[in-house]
Amino acid sequence: PSSAINLRHTLKNNWYLKTALGLSKYGYDFGVPEGQEAFFWNSESTQLIGRGELVHYGDGSGLFKLGGTATLHTINPGHIGGLGEETIYNELKMPDAHAREYGAYVSYEDEVLDRLKYELGFRLSIFQNVGNATVVSYGEDYKPLGERTYEAGQIYNPYWSPEPRLKMRYKLNDLSAFK
């Protein structure tokens, strides 16, 4: 299930502010219900997402956007265990994993001719794993080499990516276009 709250506010001189807050949760369960190998496996992923965008509609056809998004991820990879008295499996609860994801962007789009439209933009994406976690390093032979523990709230494995954008469309007719 997921839910969201969206708010659009008109500022002045063709400026608008759009904000949103959302929550998304996905989970699954599977297993074998009977017998010596009976087991269950429950897992879920939760995302809390916040977005903001400032939009300006030009006097002509131009459209300017400046915005950002932030997502907090919590992943429960699994709660696993045996079912019934004759099961051969022990119970295991894997630790939750946490991450943060951010994005900021700016873009401008305009229609140069009746048939030609373009959009220029730039986006910066950032992803960070967040402790409390213990990460095991493995060698090429898949044997453990060592482990590193990260305290609650400590950022590790940060990744960022600049993403320039250029989009063009030439409209041939009402049904066809080159993009």
Side-chain angles (χ1 to χ4, degrees):
S2 62
S3 57
I5 298 172
N6 295 299
L7 174 66
R8 293 176 189 227
H9 181 69
T10 302
L11 302 172
K12 60 181 181 175
N13 298 330
N14 297 334
W15 286 95
Y16 303 89
L17 177 63
K18 300 189 309 187
T19 56
L21 182 63
L23 177 67
S24 174
K25 195 170 199 173
Y26 173 78
Y28 63 88
D29 304 318
F30 69 93
V32 175
E34 298 176 355
Q36 189 177 13
E37 295 183 9
F39 75 95
F40 68 90
W41 184 318
N42 309 97
S43 179
E44 72 178 24
S45 174
T46 304
Q47 289 77 35
L48 178 61
I49 306 158
R51 290 189 174 108
E53 182 176 63
L54 187 61
V55 180
H56 181 264
Y57 294 94
D59 295 332
S61 59
L63 178 64
F64 172 79
K65 295 180 183 178
L66 174 68
T69 183
T71 305
L72 304 177
H73 299 275
T74 300
I75 301 165
N76 175 342
H79 178 199
I80 306 163
L83 293 172
E85 293 180 15
E86 55 187 70
T87 185
I88 58 173
Y89 299 114
N90 294 324
E91 189 169 354
L92 172 66
K93 171 113 172 71
M94 295 180 212
D96 289 352
H98 302 277
R100 297 179 191 146
E101 186 176 0
Y102 304 102
Y105 61 90
V106 60
S107 72
Y108 180 78
E109 70 180 61
D110 203 349
E111 201 162 330
V112 182
L113 306 168
D114 287 343
R115 296 177 179 256
L116 181 62
K117 183 177 182 179
Y118 72 91
E119 181 178 351
L120 296 169
F122 183 81
R123 178 180 172 85
L124 180 63
S125 297
I126 300 170
F127 185 86
Q128 305 167 325
N129 291 101
V130 182
N132 191 14
T134 299
V135 178
V136 179
S137 299
Y138 294 91
E140 289 183 25
D141 58 358
Y142 304 105
K143 291 184 181 175
L145 297 175
E147 63 181 43
R148 177 143 185 217
T149 301
Y150 298 93
E151 300 297 322
Q154 186 178 0
I155 294 170
Y156 64 99
N157 292 339
Y159 172 80
W160 65 277
S161 175
E163 302 168 15
R165 307 215 170 163
L166 171 62
K167 196 169 25 171
M168 296 184 82
R169 182 201 75 202
Y170 183 77
K171 189 175 177 182
L172 297 171
N173 55 44
D174 288 341
L175 300 174
S176 302
F178 281 116
K179 293 183 179 184

